[in-house]
Amino acid sequence: ANLTTQKRLASSVLKCGQRKVWVDPNEVSEISQANSRQDIRKLVKSGLIFKKPQASHSRFRIREHAAAKRLGRHSGHGKRKGTAEARMPTSVLWMRRMRVLRNLLRKYREQGKIDRHMYQELYVKSKGNVFKNKRVLMEYIHKAKTENARIKALKDQAEAHRLRNKASRERRAQRIAAKRDALISGEQ
């Protein structure tokens, strides 16, 4: 028996497509008698006609693929559509790097690890593409600080030396003056 009419009516009653309507193959004769929506509703109630469940659309394979991509798979030459610039613009890389370096400089200045003069010098250097990453900048800062400390120590040492020499010169001059005075007073 042909049940096209019944399937059409059932799809309308059940509010789904005709491919989702299940008709009991053992009760074909009874179902073929139904020719109104009311009859179809009765058959639905009695369970001779029902709506098939939604077919599942698994995301398992997608999740697996995404996990593999996170590990760096599926990204060889054959999988690429855009140019390297389109996939990861150099301007974006530059902005990221500048932000990292500038944040570090700002943090160091606030903590007092570098003074404002050094901050300015390093800011301009980083803008001029001298430091390729944070590590290099940090190493440069440490080197510069130790170098500055060494120069300061040498300066202080030289200054102390100078003061010592000056004091000894003055003492010598005083001694000579005292001797001279003693000689002059002795002659008289």
Side-chain angles (χ1 to χ4, degrees):
N2 191 8
L3 301 176
T4 42
T5 312
Q6 284 75 9
K7 278 196 170 172
R8 181 176 58 75
L9 290 170
S11 83
S12 173
V13 167
L14 296 170
K15 294 188 172 61
C16 64
Q18 289 185 34
R19 64 200 285 273
K20 286 274 182 228
V21 174
W22 181 84
V23 175
D24 194 338
N26 304 324
E27 307 290 339
V28 172
S29 55
E30 195 180 327
I31 292 165
S32 61
Q33 301 301 312
N35 58 4
S36 68
R37 285 163 202 278
Q38 204 169 356
D39 294 347
I40 297 292
R41 278 193 207 97
K42 273 184 192 153
L43 292 171
V44 168
K45 208 168 191 184
S46 61
L48 300 183
I49 296 176
F50 64 77
K51 186 177 173 179
K52 287 185 202 167
Q54 184 89 33
S56 71
H57 181 188
S58 171
R59 285 194 57 81
F60 173 78
R61 284 185 299 277
I62 290 115
R63 284 195 205 100
E64 287 275 279
H65 194 266
K69 277 199 88 135
R70 274 196 291 280
L71 296 173
R73 312 288 180 268
H74 316 293
S75 56
H77 290 300
K79 291 286 179 187
R80 299 179 199 172
K81 280 290 176 109
T83 60
E85 182 68 23
R87 288 160 65 86
M88 189 72 257
T90 48
S91 61
V92 170
L93 292 172
W94 172 262
M95 283 191 288
R96 274 186 198 164
R97 194 165 100 208
M98 282 301 102
R99 281 172 189 167
V100 166
L101 297 179
R102 286 172 183 177
N103 288 341
L104 180 77
L105 287 175
R106 200 175 309 122
K107 195 174 80 180
Y108 272 19
R109 185 182 59 184
E110 281 162 9
Q111 288 173 354
K113 288 186 180 178
I114 56 175
D115 61 352
R116 61 197 180 85
H117 303 292
M118 197 175 189
Y119 169 85
Q120 190 56 41
E121 183 194 326
L122 294 174
Y123 187 97
V124 173
K125 268 187 169 26
S126 58
K127 186 182 180 181
N129 200 16
V130 174
F131 312 112
K132 70 171 184 175
N133 56 35
K134 190 170 160 181
R135 181 177 51 80
V136 172
L137 174 58
M138 284 165 88
E139 280 171 10
Y140 184 93
I141 290 170
H142 290 314
K143 259 189 208 151
K145 280 174 78 175
T146 52
E147 183 62 24
N148 287 351
R150 195 176 67 84
I151 290 166
K152 191 173 184 295
L154 286 172
K155 261 188 191 165
D156 292 349
Q157 208 175 347
E159 185 63 30
H161 217 280
R162 227 183 353 265
L163 288 171
R164 234 190 356 261
N165 287 349
K166 193 178 179 189
S168 70
R169 265 202 311 275
E170 281 172 0
R171 279 199 305 275
R172 192 157 167 252
Q174 281 169 358
R175 270 203 312 275
I176 290 167
K179 269 186 187 174
R180 194 182 299 121
D181 290 348
L183 277 173
I184 291 167
S185 61
E187 282 173 8
Q188 289 171 355

mmCIF file with all atom_site columns, all heavy atoms in Angstrom, residues 31-56:
data_model
loop_
_atom_site.group_PDB
_atom_site.id
_atom_site.type_symbol
_atom_site.label_atom_id
_atom_site.label_alt_id
_atom_site.label_comp_id
_atom_site.label_asym_id
_atom_site.label_entity_id
_atom_site.label_seq_id
_atom_site.pdbx_PDB_ins_code
_atom_site.Cartn_x
_atom_site.Cartn_y
_atom_site.Cartn_z
_atom_site.occupancy
_atom_site.B_iso_or_equiv
_atom_site.pdbx_formal_charge
_atom_site.auth_seq_id
_atom_site.auth_comp_id
_atom_site.auth_asym_id
_atom_site.auth_atom_id
_atom_site.pdbx_PDB_model_num
ATOM 1   N N   . ILE A 1 31 ? -3.094  1.944  8.902  1.00 0.00 ? 31 ILE A N   1
ATOM 2   C CA  . ILE A 1 31 ? -2.625  3.315  8.665  1.00 0.00 ? 31 ILE A CA  1
ATOM 3   C C   . ILE A 1 31 ? -3.164  3.843  7.339  1.00 0.00 ? 31 ILE A C   1
ATOM 4   O O   . ILE A 1 31 ? -3.503  5.024  7.221  1.00 0.00 ? 31 ILE A O   1
ATOM 5   C CB  . ILE A 1 31 ? -1.073  3.355  8.703  1.00 0.00 ? 31 ILE A CB  1
ATOM 6   C CG1 . ILE A 1 31 ? -0.582  3.087  10.135 1.00 0.00 ? 31 ILE A CG1 1
ATOM 7   C CG2 . ILE A 1 31 ? -0.533  4.712  8.252  1.00 0.00 ? 31 ILE A CG2 1
ATOM 8   C CD1 . ILE A 1 31 ? 0.869   2.749  10.259 1.00 0.00 ? 31 ILE A CD1 1
ATOM 9   N N   . SER A 1 32 ? -3.246  2.965  6.344  1.00 0.00 ? 32 SER A N   1
ATOM 10  C CA  . SER A 1 32 ? -3.712  3.423  5.022  1.00 0.00 ? 32 SER A CA  1
ATOM 11  C C   . SER A 1 32 ? -5.176  3.889  5.062  1.00 0.00 ? 32 SER A C   1
ATOM 12  O O   . SER A 1 32 ? -5.624  4.621  4.179  1.00 0.00 ? 32 SER A O   1
ATOM 13  C CB  . SER A 1 32 ? -3.539  2.323  3.985  1.00 0.00 ? 32 SER A CB  1
ATOM 14  O OG  . SER A 1 32 ? -4.312  1.203  4.362  1.00 0.00 ? 32 SER A OG  1
ATOM 15  N N   . GLN A 1 33 ? -5.938  3.473  6.096  1.00 0.00 ? 33 GLN A N   1
ATOM 16  C CA  . GLN A 1 33 ? -7.333  3.931  6.250  1.00 0.00 ? 33 GLN A CA  1
ATOM 17  C C   . GLN A 1 33 ? -7.393  5.410  6.669  1.00 0.00 ? 33 GLN A C   1
ATOM 18  O O   . GLN A 1 33 ? -8.355  6.095  6.369  1.00 0.00 ? 33 GLN A O   1
ATOM 19  C CB  . GLN A 1 33 ? -8.062  3.095  7.329  1.00 0.00 ? 33 GLN A CB  1
ATOM 20  C CG  . GLN A 1 33 ? -8.125  1.613  7.056  1.00 0.00 ? 33 GLN A CG  1
ATOM 21  C CD  . GLN A 1 33 ? -8.839  1.312  5.744  1.00 0.00 ? 33 GLN A CD  1
ATOM 22  O OE1 . GLN A 1 33 ? -9.916  1.830  5.467  1.00 0.00 ? 33 GLN A OE1 1
ATOM 23  N NE2 . GLN A 1 33 ? -8.207  0.486  4.904  1.00 0.00 ? 33 GLN A NE2 1
ATOM 24  N N   . ALA A 1 34 ? -6.336  5.860  7.384  1.00 0.00 ? 34 ALA A N   1
ATOM 25  C CA  . ALA A 1 34 ? -6.331  7.237  7.909  1.00 0.00 ? 34 ALA A CA  1
ATOM 26  C C   . ALA A 1 34 ? -6.194  8.207  6.755  1.00 0.00 ? 34 ALA A C   1
ATOM 27  O O   . ALA A 1 34 ? -5.270  8.099  5.956  1.00 0.00 ? 34 ALA A O   1
ATOM 28  C CB  . ALA A 1 34 ? -5.192  7.415  8.878  1.00 0.00 ? 34 ALA A CB  1
ATOM 29  N N   . ASN A 1 35 ? -7.154  9.161  6.666  1.00 0.00 ? 35 ASN A N   1
ATOM 30  C CA  . ASN A 1 35 ? -7.052  10.143 5.584  1.00 0.00 ? 35 ASN A CA  1
ATOM 31  C C   . ASN A 1 35 ? -7.297  11.573 6.081  1.00 0.00 ? 35 ASN A C   1
ATOM 32  O O   . ASN A 1 35 ? -7.595  12.450 5.300  1.00 0.00 ? 35 ASN A O   1
ATOM 33  C CB  . ASN A 1 35 ? -8.005  9.787  4.437  1.00 0.00 ? 35 ASN A CB  1
ATOM 34  C CG  . ASN A 1 35 ? -9.431  9.718  4.934  1.00 0.00 ? 35 ASN A CG  1
ATOM 35  O OD1 . ASN A 1 35 ? -9.692  10.010 6.097  1.00 0.00 ? 35 ASN A OD1 1
ATOM 36  N ND2 . ASN A 1 35 ? -10.340 9.342  4.058  1.00 0.00 ? 35 ASN A ND2 1
ATOM 37  N N   . SER A 1 36 ? -7.193  11.751 7.410  1.00 0.00 ? 36 SER A N   1
ATOM 38  C CA  . SER A 1 36 ? -7.330  13.120 7.935  1.00 0.00 ? 36 SER A CA  1
ATOM 39  C C   . SER A 1 36 ? -6.282  13.324 9.028  1.00 0.00 ? 36 SER A C   1
ATOM 40  O O   . SER A 1 36 ? -5.745  12.361 9.576  1.00 0.00 ? 36 SER A O   1
ATOM 41  C CB  . SER A 1 36 ? -8.712  13.320 8.528  1.00 0.00 ? 36 SER A CB  1
ATOM 42  O OG  . SER A 1 36 ? -8.848  12.539 9.699  1.00 0.00 ? 36 SER A OG  1
ATOM 43  N N   . ARG A 1 37 ? -6.043  14.567 9.352  1.00 0.00 ? 37 ARG A N   1
ATOM 44  C CA  . ARG A 1 37 ? -5.060  14.881 10.385 1.00 0.00 ? 37 ARG A CA  1
ATOM 45  C C   . ARG A 1 37 ? -5.480  14.283 11.730 1.00 0.00 ? 37 ARG A C   1
ATOM 46  O O   . ARG A 1 37 ? -4.640  13.849 12.511 1.00 0.00 ? 37 ARG A O   1
ATOM 47  C CB  . ARG A 1 37 ? -4.893  16.401 10.532 1.00 0.00 ? 37 ARG A CB  1
ATOM 48  C CG  . ARG A 1 37 ? -4.091  17.011 9.413  1.00 0.00 ? 37 ARG A CG  1
ATOM 49  C CD  . ARG A 1 37 ? -4.279  18.514 9.345  1.00 0.00 ? 37 ARG A CD  1
ATOM 50  N NE  . ARG A 1 37 ? -3.945  18.989 8.014  1.00 0.00 ? 37 ARG A NE  1
ATOM 51  C CZ  . ARG A 1 37 ? -2.710  19.233 7.591  1.00 0.00 ? 37 ARG A CZ  1
ATOM 52  N NH1 . ARG A 1 37 ? -1.689  19.075 8.391  1.00 0.00 ? 37 ARG A NH1 1
ATOM 53  N NH2 . ARG A 1 37 ? -2.495  19.635 6.361  1.00 0.00 ? 37 ARG A NH2 1
ATOM 54  N N   . GLN A 1 38 ? -6.806  14.301 11.966 1.00 0.00 ? 38 GLN A N   1
ATOM 55  C CA  . GLN A 1 38 ? -7.296  13.762 13.243 1.00 0.00 ? 38 GLN A CA  1
ATOM 56  C C   . GLN A 1 38 ? -6.962  12.274 13.368 1.00 0.00 ? 38 GLN A C   1
ATOM 57  O O   . GLN A 1 38 ? -6.487  11.820 14.412 1.00 0.00 ? 38 GLN A O   1
ATOM 58  C CB  . GLN A 1 38 ? -8.817  13.967 13.325 1.00 0.00 ? 38 GLN A CB  1
ATOM 59  C CG  . GLN A 1 38 ? -9.303  14.003 14.744 1.00 0.00 ? 38 GLN A CG  1
ATOM 60  C CD  . GLN A 1 38 ? -10.755 14.479 14.837 1.00 0.00 ? 38 GLN A CD  1
ATOM 61  O OE1 . GLN A 1 38 ? -11.352 14.839 13.831 1.00 0.00 ? 38 GLN A OE1 1
ATOM 62  N NE2 . GLN A 1 38 ? -11.304 14.483 16.026 1.00 0.00 ? 38 GLN A NE2 1
ATOM 63  N N   . ASP A 1 39 ? -7.171  11.552 12.271 1.00 0.00 ? 39 ASP A N   1
ATOM 64  C CA  . ASP A 1 39 ? -6.837  10.108 12.267 1.00 0.00 ? 39 ASP A CA  1
ATOM 65  C C   . ASP A 1 39 ? -5.335  9.909  12.540 1.00 0.00 ? 39 ASP A C   1
ATOM 66  O O   . ASP A 1 39 ? -4.936  9.034  13.315 1.00 0.00 ? 39 ASP A O   1
ATOM 67  C CB  . ASP A 1 39 ? -7.180  9.476  10.910 1.00 0.00 ? 39 ASP A CB  1
ATOM 68  C CG  . ASP A 1 39 ? -8.687  9.465  10.638 1.00 0.00 ? 39 ASP A CG  1
ATOM 69  O OD1 . ASP A 1 39 ? -9.437  9.723  11.601 1.00 0.00 ? 39 ASP A OD1 1
ATOM 70  O OD2 . ASP A 1 39 ? -9.077  9.233  9.483  1.00 0.00 ? 39 ASP A OD2 1
ATOM 71  N N   . ILE A 1 40 ? -4.553  10.747 11.881 1.00 0.00 ? 40 ILE A N   1
ATOM 72  C CA  . ILE A 1 40 ? -3.087  10.651 12.049 1.00 0.00 ? 40 ILE A CA  1
ATOM 73  C C   . ILE A 1 40 ? -2.724  10.902 13.512 1.00 0.00 ? 40 ILE A C   1
ATOM 74  O O   . ILE A 1 40 ? -1.895  10.189 14.091 1.00 0.00 ? 40 ILE A O   1
ATOM 75  C CB  . ILE A 1 40 ? -2.356  11.648 11.121 1.00 0.00 ? 40 ILE A CB  1
ATOM 76  C CG1 . ILE A 1 40 ? -2.601  11.339 9.629  1.00 0.00 ? 40 ILE A CG1 1
ATOM 77  C CG2 . ILE A 1 40 ? -0.863  11.677 11.419 1.00 0.00 ? 40 ILE A CG2 1
ATOM 78  C CD1 . ILE A 1 40 ? -1.984  10.067 9.107  1.00 0.00 ? 40 ILE A CD1 1
ATOM 79  N N   . ARG A 1 41 ? -3.361  11.930 14.139 1.00 0.00 ? 41 ARG A N   1
ATOM 80  C CA  . ARG A 1 41 ? -3.092  12.246 15.550 1.00 0.00 ? 41 ARG A CA  1
ATOM 81  C C   . ARG A 1 41 ? -3.376  11.031 16.431 1.00 0.00 ? 41 ARG A C   1
ATOM 82  O O   . ARG A 1 41 ? -2.621  10.723 17.344 1.00 0.00 ? 41 ARG A O   1
ATOM 83  C CB  . ARG A 1 41 ? -3.931  13.440 16.013 1.00 0.00 ? 41 ARG A CB  1
ATOM 84  C CG  . ARG A 1 41 ? -3.310  14.764 15.622 1.00 0.00 ? 41 ARG A CG  1
ATOM 85  C CD  . ARG A 1 41 ? -3.928  15.950 16.321 1.00 0.00 ? 41 ARG A CD  1
ATOM 86  N NE  . ARG A 1 41 ? -3.758  17.135 15.482 1.00 0.00 ? 41 ARG A NE  1
ATOM 87  C CZ  . ARG A 1 41 ? -4.683  17.619 14.654 1.00 0.00 ? 41 ARG A CZ  1
ATOM 88  N NH1 . ARG A 1 41 ? -5.861  17.052 14.580 1.00 0.00 ? 41 ARG A NH1 1
ATOM 89  N NH2 . ARG A 1 41 ? -4.424  18.667 13.918 1.00 0.00 ? 41 ARG A NH2 1
ATOM 90  N N   . LYS A 1 42 ? -4.496  10.329 16.130 1.00 0.00 ? 42 LYS A N   1
ATOM 91  C CA  . LYS A 1 42 ? -4.851  9.117  16.895 1.00 0.00 ? 42 LYS A CA  1
ATOM 92  C C   . LYS A 1 42 ? -3.753  8.064  16.752 1.00 0.00 ? 42 LYS A C   1
ATOM 93  O O   . LYS A 1 42 ? -3.352  7.443  17.740 1.00 0.00 ? 42 LYS A O   1
ATOM 94  C CB  . LYS A 1 42 ? -6.175  8.550  16.378 1.00 0.00 ? 42 LYS A CB  1
ATOM 95  C CG  . LYS A 1 42 ? -7.391  9.162  17.044 1.00 0.00 ? 42 LYS A CG  1
ATOM 96  C CD  . LYS A 1 42 ? -8.657  8.484  16.560 1.00 0.00 ? 42 LYS A CD  1
ATOM 97  C CE  . LYS A 1 42 ? -9.884  9.272  16.990 1.00 0.00 ? 42 LYS A CE  1
ATOM 98  N NZ  . LYS A 1 42 ? -11.009 9.048  16.071 1.00 0.00 ? 42 LYS A NZ  1
ATOM 99  N N   . LEU A 1 43 ? -3.287  7.884  15.506 1.00 0.00 ? 43 LEU A N   1
ATOM 100 C CA  . LEU A 1 43 ? -2.239  6.880  15.247 1.00 0.00 ? 43 LEU A CA  1
ATOM 101 C C   . LEU A 1 43 ? -0.935  7.244  15.972 1.00 0.00 ? 43 LEU A C   1
ATOM 102 O O   . LEU A 1 43 ? -0.231  6.373  16.481 1.00 0.00 ? 43 LEU A O   1
ATOM 103 C CB  . LEU A 1 43 ? -1.993  6.751  13.742 1.00 0.00 ? 43 LEU A CB  1
ATOM 104 C CG  . LEU A 1 43 ? -3.156  6.128  12.943 1.00 0.00 ? 43 LEU A CG  1
ATOM 105 C CD1 . LEU A 1 43 ? -2.908  6.260  11.457 1.00 0.00 ? 43 LEU A CD1 1
ATOM 106 C CD2 . LEU A 1 43 ? -3.349  4.667  13.301 1.00 0.00 ? 43 LEU A CD2 1
ATOM 107 N N   . VAL A 1 44 ? -0.652  8.562  16.030 1.00 0.00 ? 44 VAL A N   1
ATOM 108 C CA  . VAL A 1 44 ? 0.545   9.027  16.730 1.00 0.00 ? 44 VAL A CA  1
ATOM 109 C C   . VAL A 1 44 ? 0.413   8.692  18.203 1.00 0.00 ? 44 VAL A C   1
ATOM 110 O O   . VAL A 1 44 ? 1.346   8.205  18.844 1.00 0.00 ? 44 VAL A O   1
ATOM 111 C CB  . VAL A 1 44 ? 0.757   10.543 16.513 1.00 0.00 ? 44 VAL A CB  1
ATOM 112 C CG1 . VAL A 1 44 ? 1.814   11.096 17.480 1.00 0.00 ? 44 VAL A CG1 1
ATOM 113 C CG2 . VAL A 1 44 ? 1.158   10.826 15.076 1.00 0.00 ? 44 VAL A CG2 1
ATOM 114 N N   . LYS A 1 45 ? -0.817  8.938  18.730 1.00 0.00 ? 45 LYS A N   1
ATOM 115 C CA  . LYS A 1 45 ? -1.065  8.685  20.147 1.00 0.00 ? 45 LYS A CA  1
ATOM 116 C C   . LYS A 1 45 ? -0.908  7.195  20.462 1.00 0.00 ? 45 LYS A C   1
ATOM 117 O O   . LYS A 1 45 ? -0.331  6.825  21.500 1.00 0.00 ? 45 LYS A O   1
ATOM 118 C CB  . LYS A 1 45 ? -2.479  9.151  20.498 1.00 0.00 ? 45 LYS A CB  1
ATOM 119 C CG  . LYS A 1 45 ? -2.616  9.557  21.952 1.00 0.00 ? 45 LYS A CG  1
ATOM 120 C CD  . LYS A 1 45 ? -3.917  10.281 22.178 1.00 0.00 ? 45 LYS A CD  1
ATOM 121 C CE  . LYS A 1 45 ? -3.931  10.927 23.546 1.00 0.00 ? 45 LYS A CE  1
ATOM 122 N NZ  . LYS A 1 45 ? -5.219  11.563 23.832 1.00 0.00 ? 45 LYS A NZ  1
ATOM 123 N N   . SER A 1 46 ? -1.363  6.362  19.559 1.00 0.00 ? 46 SER A N   1
ATOM 124 C CA  . SER A 1 46 ? -1.278  4.916  19.798 1.00 0.00 ? 46 SER A CA  1
ATOM 125 C C   . SER A 1 46 ? 0.110   4.354  19.487 1.00 0.00 ? 46 SER A C   1
ATOM 126 O O   . SER A 1 46 ? 0.390   3.187  19.754 1.00 0.00 ? 46 SER A O   1
ATOM 127 C CB  . SER A 1 46 ? -2.333  4.178  18.962 1.00 0.00 ? 46 SER A CB  1
ATOM 128 O OG  . SER A 1 46 ? -2.091  4.415  17.592 1.00 0.00 ? 46 SER A OG  1
ATOM 129 N N   . GLY A 1 47 ? 0.974   5.181  18.881 1.00 0.00 ? 47 GLY A N   1
ATOM 130 C CA  . GLY A 1 47 ? 2.366   4.780  18.669 1.00 0.00 ? 47 GLY A CA  1
ATOM 131 C C   . GLY A 1 47 ? 2.631   4.053  17.368 1.00 0.00 ? 47 GLY A C   1
ATOM 132 O O   . GLY A 1 47 ? 3.698   3.467  17.212 1.00 0.00 ? 47 GLY A O   1
ATOM 133 N N   . LEU A 1 48 ? 1.682   4.101  16.442 1.00 0.00 ? 48 LEU A N   1
ATOM 134 C CA  . LEU A 1 48 ? 1.906   3.449  15.140 1.00 0.00 ? 48 LEU A CA  1
ATOM 135 C C   . LEU A 1 48 ? 2.697   4.368  14.204 1.00 0.00 ? 48 LEU A C   1
ATOM 136 O O   . LEU A 1 48 ? 3.283   3.902  13.220 1.00 0.00 ? 48 LEU A O   1
ATOM 137 C CB  . LEU A 1 48 ? 0.570   3.084  14.487 1.00 0.00 ? 48 LEU A CB  1
ATOM 138 C CG  . LEU A 1 48 ? -0.317  2.118  15.289 1.00 0.00 ? 48 LEU A CG  1
ATOM 139 C CD1 . LEU A 1 48 ? -1.581  1.782  14.513 1.00 0.00 ? 48 LEU A CD1 1
ATOM 140 C CD2 . LEU A 1 48 ? 0.432   0.839  15.610 1.00 0.00 ? 48 LEU A CD2 1
ATOM 141 N N   . ILE A 1 49 ? 2.609   5.658  14.498 1.00 0.00 ? 49 ILE A N   1
ATOM 142 C CA  . ILE A 1 49 ? 3.409   6.631  13.750 1.00 0.00 ? 49 ILE A CA  1
ATOM 143 C C   . ILE A 1 49 ? 4.176   7.452  14.787 1.00 0.00 ? 49 ILE A C   1
ATOM 144 O O   . ILE A 1 49 ? 3.589   7.858  15.788 1.00 0.00 ? 49 ILE A O   1
ATOM 145 C CB  . ILE A 1 49 ? 2.509   7.578  12.911 1.00 0.00 ? 49 ILE A CB  1
ATOM 146 C CG1 . ILE A 1 49 ? 1.759   6.793  11.834 1.00 0.00 ? 49 ILE A CG1 1
ATOM 147 C CG2 . ILE A 1 49 ? 3.328   8.702  12.297 1.00 0.00 ? 49 ILE A CG2 1
ATOM 148 C CD1 . ILE A 1 49 ? 0.781   7.627  11.044 1.00 0.00 ? 49 ILE A CD1 1
ATOM 149 N N   . PHE A 1 50 ? 5.467   7.649  14.568 1.00 0.00 ? 50 PHE A N   1
ATOM 150 C CA  . PHE A 1 50 ? 6.172   8.602  15.445 1.00 0.00 ? 50 PHE A CA  1
ATOM 151 C C   . PHE A 1 50 ? 7.330   9.277  14.707 1.00 0.00 ? 50 PHE A C   1
ATOM 152 O O   . PHE A 1 50 ? 7.704   8.877  13.603 1.00 0.00 ? 50 PHE A O   1
ATOM 153 C CB  . PHE A 1 50 ? 6.629   7.951  16.757 1.00 0.00 ? 50 PHE A CB  1
ATOM 154 C CG  . PHE A 1 50 ? 7.655   6.851  16.601 1.00 0.00 ? 50 PHE A CG  1
ATOM 155 C CD1 . PHE A 1 50 ? 8.996   7.145  16.341 1.00 0.00 ? 50 PHE A CD1 1
ATOM 156 C CD2 . PHE A 1 50 ? 7.283   5.513  16.763 1.00 0.00 ? 50 PHE A CD2 1
ATOM 157 C CE1 . PHE A 1 50 ? 9.921   6.141  16.225 1.00 0.00 ? 50 PHE A CE1 1
ATOM 158 C CE2 . PHE A 1 50 ? 8.215   4.503  16.643 1.00 0.00 ? 50 PHE A CE2 1
ATOM 159 C CZ  . PHE A 1 50 ? 9.547   4.812  16.370 1.00 0.00 ? 50 PHE A CZ  1
ATOM 160 N N   . LYS A 1 51 ? 7.862   10.296 15.368 1.00 0.00 ? 51 LYS A N   1
ATOM 161 C CA  . LYS A 1 51 ? 8.934   11.104 14.790 1.00 0.00 ? 51 LYS A CA  1
ATOM 162 C C   . LYS A 1 51 ? 10.262  10.454 15.151 1.00 0.00 ? 51 LYS A C   1
ATOM 163 O O   . LYS A 1 51 ? 10.536  10.198 16.326 1.00 0.00 ? 51 LYS A O   1
ATOM 164 C CB  . LYS A 1 51 ? 8.839   12.503 15.415 1.00 0.00 ? 51 LYS A CB  1
ATOM 165 C CG  . LYS A 1 51 ? 9.775   13.551 14.860 1.00 0.00 ? 51 LYS A CG  1
ATOM 166 C CD  . LYS A 1 51 ? 9.447   14.865 15.567 1.00 0.00 ? 51 LYS A CD  1
ATOM 167 C CE  . LYS A 1 51 ? 10.412  15.960 15.229 1.00 0.00 ? 51 LYS A CE  1
ATOM 168 N NZ  . LYS A 1 51 ? 10.033  17.206 15.905 1.00 0.00 ? 51 LYS A NZ  1
ATOM 169 N N   . LYS A 1 52 ? 11.081  10.173 14.137 1.00 0.00 ? 52 LYS A N   1
ATOM 170 C CA  . LYS A 1 52 ? 12.393  9.566  14.400 1.00 0.00 ? 52 LYS A CA  1
ATOM 171 C C   . LYS A 1 52 ? 13.270  10.564 15.153 1.00 0.00 ? 52 LYS A C   1
ATOM 172 O O   . LYS A 1 52 ? 13.144  11.768 14.957 1.00 0.00 ? 52 LYS A O   1
ATOM 173 C CB  . LYS A 1 52 ? 13.079  9.199  13.089 1.00 0.00 ? 52 LYS A CB  1
ATOM 174 C CG  . LYS A 1 52 ? 12.488  7.998  12.393 1.00 0.00 ? 52 LYS A CG  1
ATOM 175 C CD  . LYS A 1 52 ? 13.341  7.682  11.187 1.00 0.00 ? 52 LYS A CD  1
ATOM 176 C CE  . LYS A 1 52 ? 12.560  6.865  10.163 1.00 0.00 ? 52 LYS A CE  1
ATOM 177 N NZ  . LYS A 1 52 ? 13.271  6.820  8.876  1.00 0.00 ? 52 LYS A NZ  1
ATOM 178 N N   . PRO A 1 53 ? 14.164  10.079 16.011 1.00 0.00 ? 53 PRO A N   1
ATOM 179 C CA  . PRO A 1 53 ? 15.017  11.022 16.771 1.00 0.00 ? 53 PRO A CA  1
ATOM 180 C C   . PRO A 1 53 ? 16.030  11.727 15.858 1.00 0.00 ? 53 PRO A C   1
ATOM 181 O O   . PRO A 1 53 ? 16.356  11.226 14.782 1.00 0.00 ? 53 PRO A O   1
ATOM 182 C CB  . PRO A 1 53 ? 15.738  10.126 17.773 1.00 0.00 ? 53 PRO A CB  1
ATOM 183 C CG  . PRO A 1 53 ? 15.742  8.785  17.131 1.00 0.00 ? 53 PRO A CG  1
ATOM 184 C CD  . PRO A 1 53 ? 14.455  8.689  16.333 1.00 0.00 ? 53 PRO A CD  1
ATOM 185 N N   . GLN A 1 54 ? 16.478  12.867 16.345 1.00 0.00 ? 54 GLN A N   1
ATOM 186 C CA  . GLN A 1 54 ? 17.490  13.647 15.619 1.00 0.00 ? 54 GLN A CA  1
ATOM 187 C C   . GLN A 1 54 ? 18.770  12.819 15.523 1.00 0.00 ? 54 GLN A C   1
ATOM 188 O O   . GLN A 1 54 ? 19.231  12.291 16.534 1.00 0.00 ? 54 GLN A O   1
ATOM 189 C CB  . GLN A 1 54 ? 17.755  14.923 16.407 1.00 0.00 ? 54 GLN A CB  1
ATOM 190 C CG  . GLN A 1 54 ? 18.706  15.899 15.755 1.00 0.00 ? 54 GLN A CG  1
ATOM 191 C CD  . GLN A 1 54 ? 17.985  16.877 14.843 1.00 0.00 ? 54 GLN A CD  1
ATOM 192 O OE1 . GLN A 1 54 ? 16.857  17.249 15.122 1.00 0.00 ? 54 GLN A OE1 1
ATOM 193 N NE2 . GLN A 1 54 ? 18.621  17.255 13.759 1.00 0.00 ? 54 GLN A NE2 1
ATOM 194 N N   . ALA A 1 55 ? 19.327  12.714 14.314 1.00 0.00 ? 55 ALA A N   1
ATOM 195 C CA  . ALA A 1 55 ? 20.586  11.978 14.160 1.00 0.00 ? 55 ALA A CA  1
ATOM 196 C C   . ALA A 1 55 ? 21.702  12.778 14.812 1.00 0.00 ? 55 ALA A C   1
ATOM 197 O O   . ALA A 1 55 ? 21.752  14.001 14.669 1.00 0.00 ? 55 ALA A O   1
ATOM 198 C CB  . ALA A 1 55 ? 20.893  11.773 12.692 1.00 0.00 ? 55 ALA A CB  1
ATOM 199 N N   . SER A 1 56 ? 22.573  12.111 15.552 1.00 0.00 ? 56 SER A N   1
ATOM 200 C CA  . SER A 1 56 ? 23.637  12.840 16.249 1.00 0.00 ? 56 SER A CA  1
ATOM 201 C C   . SER A 1 56 ? 24.703  13.272 15.242 1.00 0.00 ? 56 SER A C   1
ATOM 202 O O   . SER A 1 56 ? 24.944  12.595 14.245 1.00 0.00 ? 56 SER A O   1
ATOM 203 C CB  . SER A 1 56 ? 24.270  11.961 17.307 1.00 0.00 ? 56 SER A CB  1
ATOM 204 O OG  . SER A 1 56 ? 25.031  10.954 16.689 1.00 0.00 ? 56 SER A OG  1
#
